[in-house]
């Protein structure tokens, strides 16, 4: 089972002949008919139901529903999304959801007069048109527009419910707030919970919602990381806990404490595995003499919780070994026991057959340049250059007891640059002391400009991990991180796959046997996982666009 992320990209690439089939190791790619109406760029594959594939597309500032036939993936219809005004405002698009056989568009509207952030859902017909079935899901009171917060979404593993969280910070009132609601396929609210956390007289409080999820049993879990300085006792207080809302207990709030000292949790990825075991994995840092975190990565922690009785059954902190650190920061710094820079984000958490886990974390950074503006007809227009970097991936195989079985580093160096007219799309529910580490992804408004070609997707099948990504063709056959060349022009990328030996993590690289001049390149920021062996994908080459399927042998 692969845990999807909520905090940035899951990407893949491969190659194929037109209307044909491609092979890359154990991966087979097939594509459907060419999409003739390609002016609207697909930015999300919502799912497959009723013999059709439903996608979200953009053109300029407008959104569209594109519907495809499942059999040959030819285009059935294109319909613009025009939600009815709410309090004289058109909703801002937030999410598209397929719940069983029903499709919904979700948008938000801020009520400036009453200081309420609203979330609305509209059902989509099988033909891809908006219906009259509309329902308000959230009406959350906030303090002002600047502190209206943000919405985050997680689909249930059964694909029949949607977990929605709204998070916000009220600075003047010294309150942090989150509200969760579980929605079923009929838009009924199964359960809801509103939590307020005061940081009065604790201005140095750092509060993070590190992850949240819903399980096969419709149980809800949030990972909360809270730390502050106890000035009288001159020590740092670290609270790392899970807030559980279980269906069997009528969704009453339960708190599971994970106790430790002398360390600071940096991030977290959560996964429910067999026997109702909740797994938490991420990076941690050391703390200084005053108890404050140094915010560099010391190693990987692993915690397991028996969710049936809320008991922490295991907690381990694994320091990076010398070989891994050497690949990341060089031999000289590694031998001086220097820690790793904090630029690695949780990517995926995979359950192994022996009860262990495989944890992947990717180097991710973005550089936002200085905006420049022009005046047109008395109106100012601002343009901002942005560059995304997604580089090497730390791959760690954990035993069932949380100890490290093996670790390795997947070598890659990718970047994509583009210019946007607005930076507003980058605002998340973050403040100086409040952060939400879930749901962070490439904004829809910039998909299609390059970042969706970066990153990698892990595929776990029959006990073997395969990671697929776009690479520079000059790197064919290369696995050494010191020798790889940067992928700057993704339009000239080749597909490659790294496979990891299940016993020791040794890497074998699979490159295409022959390079095709006009091969299709996936836009894998646009994908949908149907099963652990089948993915819906989107590929393009210049003006040629196609949907496809990726299957694992």
């Amino acid at each position: 089972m692969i845990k999807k992320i909520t905090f940035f990209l899951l990407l893949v690439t491969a190659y194929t002949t037109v209307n044909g089939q491609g092979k890359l190791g154990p991966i087979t790619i097939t594509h459907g008919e060419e999409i003739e109406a390609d002016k609207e760029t697909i930015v999300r594959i919502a799912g497959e139901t009723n013999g059709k594939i439903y996608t979200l597309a953009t053109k300029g500032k407008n959104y569209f529903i594109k519907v495809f036939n499942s059999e040959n993936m030819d285009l059935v219809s294109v319909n613009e999304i025009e939600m009815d005004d709410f309090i004289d405002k058109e909703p801002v698009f937030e999410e598209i959801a397929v719940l069983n056989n029903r499709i919904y568009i979700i948008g938000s509207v801020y009520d400036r007069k009453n200081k309420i952030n609203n979330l609305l859902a509209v059902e989509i017909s099988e033909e891809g048109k908006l219906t009259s079935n509309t329902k308000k899901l959230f009406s959350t009171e906030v303090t002002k527009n600047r502190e209206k917060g943000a919405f985050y979404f997680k689909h249930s593993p059964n694909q029949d419910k949607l977990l929605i969280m709204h998070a916000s910070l009220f600075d003047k009132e010294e309150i942090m707030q989150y509200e969760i609601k579980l929605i079923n396929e009929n838009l009924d609210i199964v359960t809801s919970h509103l939590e307020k956390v005061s940081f009065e007289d604790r201005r140095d409080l750092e509060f993070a919602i590190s992850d949240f999820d819903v399980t096969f049993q419709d149980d809800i879990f949030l990972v909360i990381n809270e730390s502050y300085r106890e000035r009288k006792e001159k020590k740092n207080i670290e609270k790392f806990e899970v807030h559980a809302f279980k269906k069997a207990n009528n969704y009453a709030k339960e708190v599971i404490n994970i106790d430790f000292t002398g360390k600071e949790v940096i991030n977290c990825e959560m996964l429910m595995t067999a026997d109702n075991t909740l797994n938490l994995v991420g990076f941690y840092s050391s703390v200084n003499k005053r108890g404050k975190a140094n915010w560099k990565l010391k190693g990987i922690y692993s915690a397991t919780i028996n969710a049936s009785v809320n008991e922490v059954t295991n907690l381990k902190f694994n320091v990076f070994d010398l070989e891994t650190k050497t690949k990341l920061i060089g031999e000289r710094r590694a031998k001086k026991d220097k820690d790793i820079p904090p630029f690695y984000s949780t990517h995926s958490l995979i359950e192994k057959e022996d009860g262990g886990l495989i944890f992947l974390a990717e180097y991710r950074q973005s550089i936002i340049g200085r905006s420049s503006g022009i005046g047109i007809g008395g109106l100012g227009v601002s343009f901002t250059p942005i560059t995304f970097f997604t580089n090497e991936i730390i791959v760690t195989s954990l035993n069932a007891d949380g100890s490290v079985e093996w670790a390795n580093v997947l070598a890659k160096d990718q970047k994509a640059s583009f210019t946007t007219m607005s930076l507003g799309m980058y605002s998340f529910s973050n403040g100086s002391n409040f952060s939400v580490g879930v749901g962070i992804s490439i904004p829809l408004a910039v998909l299609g400009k390059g970042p969706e070609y970066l990153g990698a997707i892990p595929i776990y099948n029959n006990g073997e991990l395969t990671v697929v990504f776009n690479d520079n063709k000059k790197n064919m056959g290369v696995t050494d991180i010191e020798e790889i060349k940067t992928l700057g022009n993704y339009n000239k990328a080749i597909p490659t796959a790294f496979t990891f030996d299940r016993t020791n993590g040794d890497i074998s690289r699979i490159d295409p046997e022959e390079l095709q001049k006009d091969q299709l390149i996936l836009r894998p920021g646009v994908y949908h996982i149907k099963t652990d062996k089948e993915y819906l994908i989107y590929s393009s080459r210049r003006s040629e666009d196609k949907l496809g399927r990726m299957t694992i042998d």
Side-chain angles (χ1 to χ4, degrees):
M1 178 179 182
I2 296 181
K3 170 79 184 323
K4 295 189 292 182
I5 351 215
T6 305
F7 155 109
F8 202 129
L9 334 167
L10 287 174
L11 305 180
V12 62
T13 187
Y15 74 106
T16 183
T17 56
V18 176
N19 287 324
Q21 174 172 301
K23 192 81 172 172
L24 188 67
I27 301 165
T28 299
I29 303 284
T30 57
H31 284 101
E33 299 293 330
E34 182 176 350
I35 303 171
E36 298 296 338
D38 58 359
K39 293 182 180 180
E40 305 84 15
T41 302
I42 295 174
V43 294
R44 181 81 60 82
I45 300 175
E48 185 173 15
T49 185
N50 307 317
K52 298 181 178 68
I53 299 171
Y54 295 87
T55 69
L56 176 74
T58 62
K59 181 183 178 183
K61 295 183 178 180
N62 301 320
Y63 290 92
F64 301 80
I65 297 291
K66 280 189 169 184
V67 184
F68 296 83
N69 187 303
S70 290
E71 186 175 354
N72 58 7
M73 295 187 170
D74 62 335
L75 184 64
V76 175
S77 65
V78 181
N79 297 282
E80 186 173 356
I81 298 173
E82 295 181 297
M83 298 178 69
D84 293 338
D85 286 357
F86 180 77
I87 56 171
D88 298 325
K89 293 181 181 180
E90 183 178 357
V92 176
F93 176 83
E94 294 279 355
E95 182 69 11
I96 180 171
V98 176
L99 305 178
N100 276 346
N101 296 323
R102 305 180 73 171
I103 307 100
Y104 297 99
I105 289 293
I106 301 174
S108 64
V109 175
Y110 176 64
D111 183 346
R112 187 181 298 272
K113 180 180 179 180
N114 297 304
K115 299 178 181 179
I116 293 176
N117 205 0
N118 299 281
L119 192 69
L120 311 167
V122 181
E123 186 168 11
I124 302 296
S125 70
E126 287 191 25
E127 293 73 30
K129 297 180 179 180
L130 274 69
T131 70
S132 59
N133 182 17
T134 303
K135 188 170 183 179
K136 184 163 61 175
L137 303 177
F138 274 74
S139 291
T140 301
E141 292 185 12
V142 296
T143 55
K144 50 191 171 185
N145 184 41
R146 187 169 58 87
E147 297 178 344
K148 67 182 178 181
F151 292 97
Y152 305 85
F153 304 86
K154 287 288 183 78
H155 289 76
S156 71
N158 299 316
Q159 298 296 309
D160 63 345
K161 293 181 178 66
L162 183 67
L163 179 61
I164 308 173
M165 179 175 69
H166 176 265
S168 53
L169 167 70
F170 309 144
D171 190 61
K172 185 177 180 180
E173 291 77 7
E174 298 183 334
I175 289 175
M176 306 165 203
Q177 173 179 292
Y178 75 81
E179 183 177 11
I180 55 171
K181 291 187 179 183
L182 185 63
I183 312 298
N184 68 16
E185 61 186 277
N186 300 314
L187 298 183
D188 300 322
I189 298 175
V190 178
T191 188
S192 64
H193 177 79
L194 177 66
E195 183 89 5
K196 293 185 178 183
V197 179
S198 173
F199 57 95
E200 186 178 2
D201 300 325
R202 296 190 298 170
R203 297 296 299 184
D204 60 347
L205 172 67
E206 294 173 352
F207 186 92
I209 302 174
S210 299
D211 199 6
F212 80 121
D213 212 347
V214 56
T215 70
F216 279 103
Q217 291 76 31
D218 294 336
D219 295 336
I220 300 168
F221 295 93
L222 286 83
V223 180
I224 305 296
N225 186 24
E226 181 179 338
S227 66
Y228 62 94
R229 179 71 175 168
E230 180 57 66
R231 299 187 184 279
K232 291 183 179 180
E233 298 183 19
K234 297 182 178 180
K235 65 178 182 179
N236 202 58
I237 306 299
E238 176 85 11
K239 291 175 63 178
F240 189 47
E241 56 191 27
V242 175
H243 293 183
F245 305 86
K246 300 175 186 175
K247 181 179 180 181
N249 296 338
N250 294 318
Y251 291 104
K253 178 186 172 183
E254 305 170 51
V255 177
I256 308 168
N257 292 306
I258 305 171
D259 296 323
F260 57 87
T261 58
K263 300 173 180 65
E264 178 94 5
V265 167
I266 302 299
N267 50 31
C268 180
E269 189 84 0
M270 176 170 52
L271 177 66
M272 179 67 77
T273 56
D275 302 323
N276 209 27
T277 299
L278 186 66
N279 296 266
L280 309 179
V281 180
F283 293 117
Y284 73 94
S285 78
S286 58
V287 296
N288 60 26
K289 293 180 179 180
R290 298 184 59 199
K292 297 293 289 184
N294 65 28
W295 292 108
K296 291 189 176 182
L297 309 182
K298 190 74 175 178
I300 295 171
Y301 70 88
S302 173
T304 57
I305 298 170
N306 181 343
S308 300
V309 295
N310 293 349
E311 178 187 358
V312 179
T313 54
N314 189 55
L315 177 62
K316 273 194 172 57
F317 292 90
N318 302 289
V319 177
F320 287 121
D321 61 58
L322 179 62
E323 183 178 358
T324 300
K325 292 180 72 171
T326 298
K327 293 177 181 178
L328 298 174
I329 60 175
E331 183 178 3
R332 184 179 63 85
R333 291 178 58 81
K335 287 185 176 180
K336 288 185 177 181
D337 200 27
K338 298 293 184 180
D339 291 339
I340 307 298
F343 302 135
Y344 295 85
S345 301
T346 60
H347 186 295
S348 303
L349 192 57
I350 303 169
E351 180 181 8
K352 299 190 297 182
E353 293 84 352
D354 61 3
L357 301 166
I358 296 179
F359 175 57
L360 294 92
E362 183 177 47
Y363 180 102
R364 294 175 184 157
Q365 276 209 89
S366 60
I367 296 177
I368 301 175
R370 179 176 296 178
S371 299
S372 60
I374 58 175
I376 302 176
L379 298 176
V381 181
S382 179
F383 297 90
T384 303
I386 300 175
T387 300
F388 277 111
F389 298 89
T390 61
N391 295 342
E392 66 273 3
I393 297 177
I394 304 171
V395 183
T396 307
S397 178
L398 299 169
N399 295 310
D401 66 357
S403 60
V404 174
E405 180 183 23
W406 54 259
N408 210 332
V409 176
L410 183 153
K412 65 183 183 71
D413 190 338
Q414 304 167 316
K415 71 176 181 179
S417 300
F418 62 94
T419 300
T420 178
M421 292 181 62
S422 173
L423 283 179
M425 58 196 169
Y426 282 89
S427 60
F428 295 101
S429 179
N430 291 335
S432 59
N433 50 5
F434 182 35
S435 63
V436 178
V438 297
I440 298 175
S441 59
I442 302 175
L444 290 174
V446 303
L447 284 175
K449 298 179 182 292
E452 71 276 16
Y453 290 97
L454 310 185
I457 189 167
I459 304 157
Y460 186 76
N461 187 46
N462 294 328
E464 183 176 80
L465 174 66
T466 302
V467 182
V468 188
F469 59 97
N470 276 333
D471 203 2
N472 189 322
K473 64 181 180 181
K474 294 181 180 180
N475 291 330
M476 292 183 66
V478 179
T479 60
D480 190 337
I481 194 170
E482 298 294 332
E483 298 180 8
I484 60 168
K485 298 184 183 300
T486 301
L487 172 65
N489 187 350
Y490 45 82
N491 288 311
K492 296 182 179 180
I494 64 165
T496 191
F498 280 21
T499 61
F500 293 78
D501 186 279
R502 68 182 70 186
T503 59
N504 57 21
D506 286 349
I507 292 175
S508 298
R509 176 170 177 143
I510 304 171
D511 289 310
E513 294 183 0
E514 59 179 275
L515 300 180
Q516 300 179 29
K517 183 179 180 180
D518 295 320
Q519 66 187 33
L520 292 174
I521 301 174
L522 295 188
R523 299 182 179 219
V526 185
Y527 74 100
H528 177 75
I529 300 177
K530 286 198 64 178
T531 69
D532 59 349
K533 293 186 177 181
E534 183 181 359
Y535 300 73
L536 297 176
I537 56 174
Y538 175 49
S539 304
S540 61
R541 181 76 181 187
R542 297 186 178 91
S543 61
E544 184 179 7
D545 297 273
K546 295 183 180 183
L547 286 183
R549 296 184 190 272
M550 181 179 72
T551 56
I552 314 303
D553 297 341

